Amino acid sequence: MGTTTAGAVMAIVLTSQTVSNNGISIPDEAAFRTCFIIGAAAALAGALVVLLIKRGKPETHVVETSEHAESIA
């Protein structure tokens, strides 16, 4: 879903800022710059979300196997 949304946003940005070259509309340099800025902001937002996730202490479980139980007895 994220890739589809990102692709749609980038398509909107690239098609909204075009220049004509020999009768063909191509994205302007500013459109690419805007896409890179949006991508960097999304990456920064993702990194911040990861940093805000609370980490709990890992739980330790003692698992006794039948071999371990026999060697103790």
Side-chain angles (χ1 to χ4, degrees):
M1 185 171 147
T3 304
T4 304
T5 304
V9 169
M10 296 307 152
I12 291 170
V13 171
L14 290 173
T15 57
S16 67
Q17 301 175 9
T18 60
V19 294
S20 182
N21 186 10
N22 293 330
I24 300 172
S25 294
I26 59 172
D28 191 353
E29 178 184 349
F32 286 103
R33 190 175 300 122
T34 303
C35 285
F36 288 130
I37 291 170
I38 291 171
L44 181 62
L48 289 175
V49 167
V50 169
L51 291 175
L52 294 176
I53 295 174
K54 291 185 179 183
R55 289 187 279 172
K57 292 183 180 179
E59 295 182 23
T60 57
H61 297 286
V62 177
V63 178
E64 292 187 21
T65 62
S66 60
E67 294 172 2
H68 180 70
E70 290 174 0
S71 66
I72 293 175

